[in-house]
Amino acid sequence: MASMSFSSIFTNNCRNLGGGGPISLLRTLASTHVSSCFKKNHSNNVVVYLCSNKRAFAFQSSKQQVVTHSHTAAAVTATASSVNGYPEYHRLLPCPAQNGPPRIEHLVVSEEGPVLEYICKALDLPALFVADLIHFGAVHCALVCPKPPSTATPEQIRIFKEVTAPSVVKKRASVKGKTIREAQKTFRITRVDQFVEAGTYLRVHVHPKRFPRCYEIDWKSRIIAVTESYVILDKPAGTSVGGTSDNIEESCATFATRALELTDPLYTTHQIDNCTEGCVVLARTKEYCSVFHGKIREKKVKKLYLALAASPLPVGLITHYMRPVNIAPRLVSEDFVKGWQLCQLEVLECKEVLWPDSSVEEIYRVEDCGWPSKDYAYECKINLLTGRTHQIRAQLAACGAPIVGDSMYMPAAIAEMSSPGLNPYGNRKKQYATEDDKEMAITEWISQHGKEPSVAVGLQACQISWDDGEHFYEAGSPWWRCKKV
């Protein structure tokens, strides 16, 4: 996993995952995985540490520092608040119905010791809450921290220089023989008692992205098939296949493992977007995970999708080129651009259907993105020939047929309809006098896109097969075919 820049905390946008309806708590985090690290102080009923106190320094950690940024106090909603606008931290379960603003802290350890103790002291967080973060996979470390951003204070820079000076680093046996790139590679912290040495970089996702839909699903009913090597899951929309960089607990792999009462965890073999539902292959062993990855590389895996588009699409091959930038929105061009990735899909059929009933959209929390006509939609069967992130969503929007409920790409498609030529990569693109003019146009085009959908869009991975159809599986009916409620 690539290391996150220190400057990310200054630029992170608020994330939302729409909730709704009661959330039945399937399980609570047991405190036994941290019990050996603490003892109770009976005189004042607080948790104290068995280990000796050490110090940790935060480059962007203290409440006094973070509260000055716009995405903090005003956006945090909580029944009880501590100082400086942060919510009062207790445990990560039960899961909130909606995500709060992100909070990412970057720490540099000054003295060796247990990781949990450093984080508790540096960020003034309860021990059980930090233990929950580690259990969720929300804490990462690297042997050597990245350079602080230009916005770092003189004190932060002083601390950075102190703990990463060559004379200090060269004495660390753990760093010897490694390149700077290798030493800055981040790894997930998996144990509350993990030992960290001075100079270690810690990244703590204090507000991990949450997935309340995980607690609303009857996961056993979503299992399509179970074999010795793999499990086929009909993934529900609003969930992550294998988790995120800050949350591996609330994932399809984790909840499917529990639903099947498996001893060993299921492994992710491929991804589909959080807002997409449908067929996903989860490996039962690391060995089969590698085998399936090989089949994907050798193009032995065939995926068919059902897309509910807002406008009709012609049957046949659609080709675009995707900008190789690993952030959303994904930009695609109809013309070849050097260095951009080939995107191809084949529309096998396209039929007119009624636009989903509003009551059905409400149940699946499908967003109203402002499409002008909502009488008819168009259900398209698509053969995905290249598997790029957001590919179907970006390509269909570029064709003027965005997917129903796609709050990221539909607003841009509407903007292009209103102002033809706004898309600098579309078939009606303008000619720009200078490169600066074009860059400004690209920035403007990106701004026309919206946020990531909260739960569901009109997209389903309806079929998956491999080895020339020897293994063939289909998902159930997509949400938009549900009867009116």
Side-chain angles (χ1 to χ4, degrees):
M1 183 179 299
S3 176
M4 181 182 291
S5 167
F6 271 67
S7 61
S8 63
I9 194 165
F10 300 98
T11 57
N12 271 321
N13 293 322
C14 297
R15 299 170 299 189
N16 247 328
L17 181 61
I23 297 175
S24 59
L25 187 61
L26 301 184
R27 63 187 290 270
T28 56
L29 290 172
S31 59
T32 54
H33 64 295
V34 293
S35 59
S36 61
C37 295
F38 313 107
K39 66 180 179 181
K40 186 73 79 172
N41 184 328
H42 297 286
S43 62
N44 56 15
N45 201 35
V46 297
V47 173
V48 297
Y49 306 111
L50 288 173
C51 357
S52 60
N53 289 334
K54 305 291 182 182
R55 294 185 303 156
F57 292 95
F59 273 97
Q60 180 63 28
S61 63
S62 73
K63 294 174 182 176
Q64 289 79 5
Q65 292 169 334
V66 182
V67 75
T68 60
H69 297 286
S70 60
H71 65 256
T72 53
V76 174
T77 56
T79 55
S81 294
S82 61
V83 295
N84 295 323
Y86 281 125
E88 188 175 343
Y89 295 102
H90 298 289
R91 304 297 300 271
L92 287 183
L93 287 179
C95 180
Q98 290 189 340
N99 271 288
R103 177 187 172 192
I104 303 174
E105 304 286 358
H106 304 270
L107 313 179
V108 179
V109 177
S110 65
E111 297 180 28
E112 62 186 25
V115 65
L116 187 142
E117 181 181 356
Y118 277 112
I119 296 171
C120 288
K121 288 184 65 64
L123 303 181
D124 190 23
L125 295 173
L128 289 179
F129 181 81
V130 175
D132 288 349
L133 288 176
I134 292 172
H135 179 76
F136 266 57
V139 181
H140 302 256
C141 71
L143 291 174
V144 176
C145 63
K147 291 183 179 180
S150 58
T151 51
T153 66
E155 175 65 10
Q156 292 167 348
I157 294 173
R158 184 193 67 76
I159 295 169
F160 169 81
K161 290 180 177 179
E162 179 183 302
V163 299
T164 62
S167 59
V168 175
V169 172
K170 71 180 182 180
K171 295 178 182 178
R172 296 170 58 187
S174 59
V175 180
K176 287 182 179 179
K178 293 182 173 64
T179 65
I180 291 296
R181 184 183 294 270
E182 290 171 338
Q184 289 182 338
K185 184 177 182 180
T186 56
F187 297 91
R188 202 183 299 272
I189 297 282
T190 58
R191 303 190 329 272
V192 295
D193 60 347
Q194 186 163 325
F195 182 88
V196 288
E197 62 184 13
T200 300
Y201 162 68
L202 296 175
R203 186 177 80 239
V204 185
H205 296 259
V206 184
H207 296 162
K209 183 173 182 177
R210 307 303 299 274
F211 294 90
R213 281 281 287 161
C214 287
Y215 304 94
E216 303 171 357
I217 302 299
D218 176 4
W219 287 91
K220 279 191 176 180
S221 71
R222 310 291 300 201
I223 304 296
I224 298 172
V226 180
T227 74
E228 290 184 359
S229 302
Y230 58 84
V231 169
I232 307 296
L233 175 71
D234 189 350
K235 173 193 172 297
T239 61
S240 169
V241 177
T244 58
S245 62
D246 55 5
N247 187 346
I248 57 173
E249 165 69 15
E250 293 168 342
S251 70
C252 292
T254 298
F255 277 76
T257 298
R258 267 186 222 131
L260 293 171
E261 300 180 351
L262 300 177
T263 304
D264 298 318
L266 294 168
Y267 298 92
T268 304
T269 64
H270 64 107
Q271 296 283 351
I272 61 177
D273 291 347
N274 295 346
C275 57
T276 303
E277 62 181 24
C279 295
V280 168
V281 180
L282 300 171
R284 296 190 64 174
T285 64
K286 288 184 178 179
E287 291 73 22
Y288 191 77
C289 191
S290 298
V291 168
F292 197 82
H293 286 161
K295 294 181 185 297
I296 293 174
R297 285 193 302 271
E298 296 163 10
K299 301 189 182 301
K300 293 182 178 179
V301 179
K302 183 178 181 180
K303 301 176 186 177
L304 293 186
Y305 285 78
L306 287 177
L308 190 67
S311 295
L313 285 165
V315 172
L317 185 68
I318 297 178
T319 300
H320 287 92
Y321 299 89
M322 181 175 286
R323 184 178 67 154
V325 176
N326 192 29
I327 56 173
R330 306 293 172 137
L331 302 187
V332 295
S333 170
E334 296 196 1
D335 297 328
F336 171 79
V337 180
K338 185 177 180 180
W340 286 32
Q341 301 166 329
L342 176 68
C343 290
Q344 287 188 319
L345 58 81
E346 182 183 10
V347 179
L348 302 177
E349 60 182 59
C350 181
K351 61 182 181 181
E352 185 179 86
V353 296
L354 290 175
W355 193 279
D357 182 76
S358 58
S359 61
V360 174
E361 288 187 318
E362 184 177 352
I363 289 174
Y364 291 94
R365 282 161 257 169
V366 179
E367 297 183 48
D368 181 353
C369 306
W371 192 255
S373 173
K374 295 180 181 176
D375 295 324
Y376 297 97
Y378 300 84
E379 185 179 279
C380 305
K381 181 172 284 189
I382 293 172
N383 179 19
L384 187 61
L385 301 177
T386 56
R388 312 293 183 194
T389 302
H390 290 196
Q391 181 183 329
I392 296 176
R393 296 165 58 192
Q395 284 197 269
L396 267 58
C399 293
I403 290 173
V404 171
D406 195 341
S407 54
M408 176 167 284
Y409 292 95
M410 185 178 279
I414 295 172
E416 172 67 8
M417 289 168 55
S418 302
S419 304
L422 185 62
N423 180 1
Y425 298 110
N427 57 8
R428 292 177 288 186
K429 61 181 177 291
K430 301 172 183 177
Q431 296 298 317
Y432 303 100
T434 66
E435 282 300 313
D436 286 344
D437 290 344
K438 185 172 183 180
E439 286 301 318
M440 289 179 61
I442 293 170
T443 301
E444 171 65 17
W445 175 238
I446 291 172
S447 72
Q448 300 301 319
H449 293 73
K451 63 180 180 61
E452 187 67 9
S454 57
V455 178
V457 300
L459 187 60
Q460 182 199 55
C462 63
Q463 289 182 14
I464 190 166
S465 61
W466 61 96
D467 294 343
D468 296 322
E470 181 180 342
H471 305 269
F472 177 89
Y473 300 97
E474 288 186 298
S477 247
W479 63 262
W480 59 85
R481 289 185 186 171
C482 291
K483 295 179 181 179
K484 295 181 180 181
V485 179

